[in-house]
Amino acid sequence: MPILFYRELRIIEHLKGMVRETGYYDTLGVNVDATYFEIRKAYYLKATQVHPDKNPGDPKAAEEFRALGEAFQVLSDRTMRARFGKHGKLCISQDYWIHTDTTYCIMFGSERFEDYIGQFAMNTFYSLLEMEEETLDLEVRKEKAIEKMGAFRKEREEKLIKFMKDRIQPFVDGRKDEFVKLVDSEARTLSTVACGEYMLHSIGHVYWAKARQELGKKRAFGGLDGWVENKGPRAYEMRPQIGSAKEAERVVLQQDMMEPEDFEDRFRTRIIQDLEAPTFGIRWDAAMLDLVITLSNVSHAIFKEPTVPEDVLKLRAEALEMFGMIFQGATAPFLREGSLRNEDEVEYPDSDMDM
């Protein structure tokens, strides 16, 4: 069903007959006066069909996926969309582009990582918004969608808690070698999917940081040196992954310095801003906040389960610390070919070690 959102999203420069070129609109299959919601939905449906993980080794699908990502990057940012509408594609700087794998991953996550992160809350919000009755006032629809989103987020976290408790159980049972081999093998497999290293590092860092905090340890690394150099043929692909991983680490640090309610309010604000004045920066921040909040809640539930003995809770924290270290892949023997950071090449002062 057609959905009409904020009138300011229908930028005057994009009215039919006044657009310099329509290439990006044609790629996504939307009208030149399409709302952000319509653009977002069209991109998701088309890009998901030709995603590299679903079409390995298919150059035609890869090229279509790239073209869709390029179109979405421009049309989903109202400033760039207005510039494109007025001047055409040639006005867009080459420095603007972000690798299309990262564009999709930031927006919709990855099916291959669903066991570890579930469905992003922003996707849930837009799905709920679409299901609300069209006759309702937009503000009412928005509030109802946000209210319902809480239940979906709780269900998501419960699934992740169960999955992670099962995942770390071998370590808790004393089968540590089996646990390490299992997680390392999983990480190496996931590292080969689109945006895999970014997802691995970000998930791993949250669990690792929260586990060390629970165990009373300082952070031996994180936010320091050791990031791989952005050179060579993969630089364009790796640069946004490293940037996203750094952002995830920064958000973890910010969470430690903010009240939980304030952190949650910031996340909700970003969701509304994405609807009212969409930019890639807003949805990037929303994705990072969502990831950190969700996995932090999962960690807390695993560490603080009231019916579990203290010695078992400590083992769970140690297991999650090891899990996070393996997923980050920043130290031997867990370094991977595509690891975003190599901590073995960095010397840290003694003050940064365990307390």
Side-chain angles (χ1 to χ4, degrees), residues 79-92:
T79 300
M80 297 306 299
R81 182 180 177 183
R83 189 177 300 173
F84 169 72
K86 187 174 182 180
H87 303 291
K89 182 177 178 180
L90 293 179
C91 75
I92 301 172

Side-chain angles (χ1 to χ4, degrees), residues 156-174:
R156 170 193 178 192
E157 289 177 5
E158 289 174 349
K159 289 180 179 179
L160 295 179
I161 291 166
K162 182 180 186 306
F163 176 81
M164 288 305 299
K165 283 164 61 174
D166 291 342
R167 179 61 85 213
I168 65 176
Q169 193 59 42
F171 185 103
V172 176
D173 290 340

Side-chain angles (χ1 to χ4, degrees), residues 192-212:
T192 64
V193 307
C195 240
E197 284 294 346
Y198 149 64
M199 297 296 292
L200 285 167
H201 190 94
S202 300
I203 293 168
H205 184 78
V206 177
Y207 281 136
W208 173 85
K210 297 304 175 182
R212 290 184 68 84

Side-chain angles (χ1 to χ4, degrees), residues 251-297:
V251 173
V252 171
L253 289 171
Q254 288 179 339
Q255 186 186 39
D256 292 342
M257 297 182 287
M258 295 176 65
E259 293 295 328
E261 296 81 6
D262 295 337
F263 207 67
E264 182 71 28
D265 286 345
R266 175 180 159 189
F267 171 60
R268 290 179 178 237
T269 298
R270 287 291 183 266
I271 290 181
I272 299 304
Q273 287 175 332
D274 186 61
L275 177 64
E276 297 177 344
T279 67
F280 186 79
I282 288 173
R283 66 185 67 106
W284 190 4
D285 192 40
M288 296 301 127
L289 290 165
D290 184 20
L291 183 74
V292 172
I293 291 172
T294 300
L295 300 191
S296 295
N297 290 344

